[in-house]
Amino acid sequence: MKPNDIVDALNDVDPTLVGDSAPGAAKKKKKTGVIAARVAALAAALAVIIGVGAVAAKRAADKPTPSVPSHTGETNRNKNGAPEDGAQPTDVQPVQQDDEANALLKALTAFAAEYPSQPKYPENGDMSDEDEMDAWYEALRERREKCYGAGISLYPFFSRSLSAFLDGKAGENSVCSPLNIYFSLAMLAEISGGETRAQVLSLLGANDIETMRTQANKVFNANYRNDGSAFCILADSLWMNEDVDFKDDTLKTLAESYYASSFSGKPGTEEFDTAVREWINGQTGGLLKDYVSEIKSDPLTMISLYSTAYFGDKWQAEFSADSTEQGVFHSPSGDTDAEFMKETNLWGEYYWGESFGAVKKDLQQNETVWFILPDEGVSPEELLEDAETLDFLFTMNKEADWNNFKRLRVHLSVPKFDVSSKRSLKEGLEKLGVTDCFTEKADFTPLTDTKPVAVSDINHGARVIADEKGVTAAAYTEMMLAGAAMPPEEEMEFTLDRPFIFAVMSEDRMPLFVGIVNDP
Amino acid sequence: MDDSEILRLFNERNEDAISESRKKYGPLIRTLALRLLGSREDAQETENDTYLKVWNAVPPAQPNPLAPYFSAVCRRTALDRLRARTRAKRGSGVYEESLTELEEAVPGSDGRAFADTLALKNALNSFLSSLTPEARLVFMKRYWWFGSVKDIARDLNMTEGAVKMSLCRTRSRLKDFLKEEQLYETE
């Protein structure tokens, strides 16, 4: 017998084993695993705004907060699934303002951060230029080796805080980016001192600021992507009142560790507000335009932190547009029509817990979207406080040793959705023990000696759009699913026609976006 | 386009079957061929041969799902092409590496002909199903898909050391297994 005999005999083993081990069949994708040539997309954007003003000016700064476009079902989408006012996934740049806006931002820049440069992904995953593909891949591999898994110690923070961040009005859609809130809070810790900082560090589970700084930098590098494949643009900025003295060392740390640029100007002026709006629109592909257009700074604001996340990727396997069907979504406020995207996965994976059932769908560049359907009688909001569900969501590779798992043919049915929400995180953070920064006890000495200052509010606006475009597939009748029951057959329907949770997880399982869809 | 739709095109002898297959499975089989052959030109030809072979086989064959089928045809075609080359031209390190590694699993690897090909195929099937899912995945990624240790480690979130260790254990289990099954010729 020769080794060749084994190699040859392997050719005829069970095809299921072959499929399961194929590059791209597991949750991790090969660099060339670009199977869906057609465009199907998921786009998301978020902005976190932290305003720090003089305590005396607190009331003035507590102006009615601008609102996010609540439900933009009629948004015109371009071929990438992003709204017409958004950027193309392939040409998004960290800052893509026009010349005028660029000049304005440049004039106000106090400390410019340099984003990590990444080799470009060959267009459409084309392998014909090996050098190009290799350069891209090597850079990715290096980032993985250095940075992946750096955020594992943040899982308790995500578990504890998720329901506070998604605590909207019952029955409404709710979206947040836990990862981006983490960056905002990390920056808040960086610019604060004493007990103010200690409270934030304690929430984030960090022992000291140095550890957190290193971790934040790694988590950023593991997730930031602007190489023409998918994009995940994380951006932070600091906006200062030019009348106040700020400490350069801290600005430098923010630029180097958090890639946060600092700007300085006169809050309350049209110039200042335009610059802020241009900056946010540039970082979020215009996805939050309606929200951003209402941003107006208060002249007494000393400093604002703006933190954004902008993400887009295509489905690994597209939904076929021809099989999309009108259906009824059972929203808490009553039945409503929705367009259901459908697919059948022959090697589907179904996970379940005491109160939920879950199916995942992969995006091309290694991110995964989990669809989690609470059992009948359980609301998504309740589920986000359920220890088992949180454990399932926030544990690295949890599905690998999850007992309640079955591989079977899954007929998945997901409503197209475009959900957004906007809320203050202040109350939620206070509940989680971050209180001092909002009061006169606030200590911002690492950034400025001017006193007294306090955070007036922390606002957060996010929007996620899931869409499809494709060809044909068969349609199946729908059936209600009792989530906790083990699937009895080799085949099942997973129909998200009542409120559900979605979670966009990065390759190293950081929650990029999590949301509750009560009304798609 | 889903598999049954592509299958329908093959059955109707509609040449769109090829372009749709290329669209859906091109990257997958191109990667496999490139790994084995190490040359883009050869990989391209292998890919084309694969479509032709599937075209000739379907119908009557009705493979569904198609991914493992396309991959298996491509793998066989690429191996044939590789063996037809002269040694000097051989380009694929990972194939040579795999053979060297597999020698550990073949106790009587002195070039004697193997007794029963069919028995070996069946034995491999039951051997693979006796492995833990992870060990099986690592083994298949290495010896079916000819992935590099580095790639496998990345795909499965393991260290390279862990992948090598897993492969080493599986090879030694395979050796024992083949001994028990008496599938090699003893002295």
Side-chain angles (χ1 to χ4, degrees):
Chain A
M1 192 197 303
K2 293 179 195 165
N4 259 333
D5 296 331
I6 296 181
V7 169
D8 285 340
L10 273 174
N11 224 60
D12 297 303
V13 296
D14 180 359
T16 321
L17 300 179
V18 175
D20 285 354
S21 61
K27 61 187 176 302
K28 307 298 173 201
K29 297 297 176 295
K30 252 287 296 165
K31 59 176 175 176
T32 49
V34 184
I35 289 173
R38 285 167 203 279
V39 179
L42 187 130
L46 157 134
V48 177
I49 302 170
I50 303 182
V52 182
V55 173
K58 194 166 172 295
R59 197 164 296 278
D62 268 349
K63 287 203 161 166
T65 41
S67 62
V68 164
S70 59
H71 182 75
T72 43
E74 52 296 303
T75 308
N76 291 322
R77 296 192 179 90
N78 63 22
K79 67 185 171 66
N80 291 308
E84 289 293 3
D85 55 358
Q88 303 277 327
T90 45
D91 64 14
V92 171
Q93 299 299 319
V95 178
Q96 47 158 16
Q97 281 79 20
D98 58 27
D99 290 349
E100 203 178 322
N102 252 332
L104 176 61
L105 283 168
K106 207 171 167 191
L108 298 183
T109 300
F111 222 110
E114 272 193 43
Y115 286 91
S117 74
Q118 300 179 339
K120 285 286 161 220
Y121 183 68
E123 208 170 328
N124 297 324
D126 181 12
M127 281 178 38
S128 58
D129 186 341
E130 277 179 51
D131 291 345
E132 200 183 8
M133 184 58 109
D134 286 351
W136 173 80
Y137 187 52
E138 274 313 307
L140 182 65
R141 191 203 299 280
E142 202 178 305
R143 283 210 303 283
R144 279 195 173 104
E145 278 172 11
K146 275 196 200 146
C147 305
Y148 275 33
I152 287 176
S153 66
L154 295 172
Y155 289 139
F157 159 66
F158 293 136
S159 297
R160 264 182 78 194
S161 59
L162 189 61
S163 67
F165 297 150
L166 286 177
D167 182 23
K169 282 181 198 145
E172 286 190 357
N173 295 326
S174 196
V175 195
C176 75
S177 167
L179 187 69
N180 214 243
I181 294 173
Y182 157 70
F183 283 118
S184 311
L185 291 174
M187 282 177 57
L188 184 63
E190 194 68 64
I191 62 170
S192 60
E195 183 58 21
T196 310
R197 172 185 282 181
Q199 287 176 350
V200 180
L201 288 182
S202 155
L203 174 62
L204 298 178
N207 291 329
D208 54 67
I209 192 80
E210 288 78 17
T211 314
M212 193 202 65
R213 193 180 294 151
T214 313
Q215 181 183 46
N217 187 275
K218 281 189 178 174
V219 173
F220 183 99
N221 276 294
N223 291 286
Y224 174 82
R225 189 195 289 261
N226 186 34
D227 57 6
S229 55
F231 60 90
C232 182
I233 314 273
L234 305 165
D236 298 300
S237 64
L238 191 77
W239 295 75
M240 304 172 291
N241 188 322
E242 63 184 15
D243 295 338
V244 181
D245 279 338
F246 292 99
K247 297 178 184 172
D248 281 351
D249 281 358
T250 302
L251 299 185
K252 192 165 173 255
T253 305
L254 290 175
E256 287 173 358
S257 297
Y258 304 86
Y259 303 95
S261 293
S262 306
F263 301 92
S264 168
K266 264 193 189 314
T269 60
E270 189 51 36
E271 183 198 41
F272 190 89
D273 290 346
T274 306
V276 169
R277 289 180 210 132
E278 290 290 350
W279 186 84
I280 299 180
N281 283 334
Q283 304 297 345
T284 54
L287 217 57
L288 300 174
K289 235 172 189 166
D290 292 0
Y291 169 38
V292 170
S293 68
E294 292 175 34
I295 288 179
K296 243 182 140 34
S297 58
D298 187 282
L300 294 170
T301 304
M302 281 183 194
I303 177 162
S304 324
L305 293 177
Y306 288 90
S307 187
T308 59
Y310 180 32
F311 170 83
D313 195 0
K314 299 165 188 171
W315 299 115
Q316 175 81 21
E318 75 272 35
F319 284 105
S320 146
D322 288 354
S323 60
T324 295
E325 279 182 359
Q326 285 290 329
V328 175
F329 187 89
H330 307 289
S331 166
S333 53
D335 286 358
T336 167
D337 288 336
E339 283 184 87
F340 285 86
M341 309 185 278
K342 293 176 179 240
E343 71 166 18
T344 293
N345 189 346
L346 297 177
W347 297 325
E349 295 175 3
Y350 176 65
Y351 300 82
W352 70 96
E354 275 296 309
S355 321
F356 70 89
V359 164
K360 67 180 168 177
K361 186 162 169 64
D362 290 330
L363 294 164
Q364 282 191 5
Q365 297 296 332
N366 298 340
E367 292 84 8
T368 300
V369 181
W370 282 96
F371 294 109
I372 299 175
L373 186 65
D375 289 357
E376 293 275 15
V378 180
S379 72
E381 292 82 3
E382 285 167 331
L383 201 58
L384 288 179
E385 294 184 3
D386 170 56
E388 189 193 29
T389 310
L390 291 168
D391 181 43
F392 179 75
L393 271 179
F394 298 123
T395 309
M396 187 73 118
N397 285 333
K398 188 67 192 180
E399 63 270 26
D401 57 5
W402 193 257
N403 287 328
N404 296 333
F405 160 74
K406 187 164 171 155
R407 187 179 286 283
L408 74 179
R409 185 178 292 226
V410 175
H411 304 296
L412 176 65
S413 191
V414 183
K416 280 189 189 179
F417 61 86
D418 177 351
V419 294
S420 59
S421 68
K422 137 92 187 64
R423 70 172 41 85
S424 163
L425 300 179
K426 187 177 169 186
E427 205 179 310
L429 285 169
E430 283 173 341
K431 275 186 204 154
L432 292 165
V434 176
T435 52
D436 279 14
C437 65
F438 301 110
T439 69
E440 59 228 30
K441 285 192 231 161
D443 175 356
F444 286 101
T445 46
L447 184 65
T448 175
D449 290 324
T450 307
K451 278 184 177 179
V453 291
V455 173
S456 52
D457 206 346
I458 298 186
N459 288 310
H460 172 272
R463 176 174 170 190
V464 174
I465 302 170
D467 203 349
E468 39 72 357
K469 278 189 183 166
V471 264
T472 57
Y476 294 85
T477 47
E478 295 162 35
M479 181 179 90
M480 282 297 194
L481 170 80
M486 184 179 158
E489 307 295 340
E490 295 309 311
E491 190 165 336
M492 72 177 293
E493 310 270 340
F494 193 75
T495 303
L496 298 164
D497 63 353
R498 54 192 150 90
F500 64 94
I501 297 168
F502 69 87
V504 185
M505 296 290 196
S506 71
E507 187 174 359
D508 67 339
R509 212 177 179 94
M510 289 287 108
L512 297 174
F513 286 87
V514 182
I516 297 174
V517 180
N518 275 308
D519 179 359
Chain B
M1 182 175 283
D2 74 15
D3 283 356
S4 40
E5 199 65 17
I6 295 177
L7 212 49
R8 186 178 58 77
L9 293 174
F10 273 111
N11 286 328
E12 290 170 358
R13 310 317 286 160
N14 182 338
E15 288 182 17
D16 288 348
I18 306 288
S19 56
E20 290 299 332
S21 302
R22 190 188 295 276
K23 215 181 279 175
K24 191 165 180 187
Y25 296 114
L28 183 72
I29 61 179
R30 227 162 15 242
T31 310
L32 178 59
L34 195 61
R35 276 180 181 174
L36 276 164
L37 297 162
S39 133
R40 260 203 325 281
E41 252 177 80
D42 281 1
Q44 191 63 53
E45 283 177 34
T46 303
E47 185 190 349
N48 292 337
D49 287 353
T50 303
Y51 298 132
L52 189 65
K53 285 183 182 173
V54 175
W55 176 260
N56 290 334
V58 180
Q62 296 295 312
N64 195 354
L66 283 169
Y69 187 73
F70 269 107
S71 311
V73 173
C74 170
R75 185 175 181 271
R76 205 189 299 273
T77 311
L79 284 172
D80 288 349
R81 184 177 283 267
L82 187 63
R83 287 165 189 160
R85 281 186 192 168
T86 61
R87 182 161 267 280
K89 262 186 77 187
R90 230 168 236 181
S92 164
V94 73
Y95 173 69
E96 296 293 329
E97 271 172 37
S98 299
L99 288 186
T100 315
E101 286 172 16
L102 280 174
E103 272 179 20
E104 289 173 28
V106 183
S109 65
D110 51 7
R112 279 173 303 179
F114 175 62
D116 184 348
T117 321
L118 188 65
L120 178 60
K121 285 171 187 169
N122 292 336
L124 277 176
N125 252 332
S126 44
F127 171 71
L128 287 171
S129 51
S130 76
L131 296 174
T132 65
E134 187 179 82
R136 185 166 57 227
L137 210 54
V138 173
F139 185 88
M140 289 294 284
K141 277 182 180 291
R142 180 67 175 163
Y143 303 117
W144 207 101
W145 292 97
F146 299 102
S148 70
V149 169
K150 221 171 186 180
D151 278 347
I152 298 171
R154 176 183 52 77
D155 277 0
L156 299 177
N157 245 337
M158 298 165 73
T159 63
E160 290 183 32
V163 170
K164 283 184 191 158
M165 187 58 75
S166 165
L167 286 172
C168 182
R169 281 206 198 103
T170 308
R171 284 193 304 264
S172 123
R173 289 188 56 177
L174 178 59
K175 184 177 178 177
D176 293 345
F177 184 86
L178 293 175
K179 260 186 201 163
E180 269 173 38
E181 299 278 309
Q182 301 194 326
L183 282 174
Y184 64 98
E185 293 170 344
T186 42
E187 297 291 331

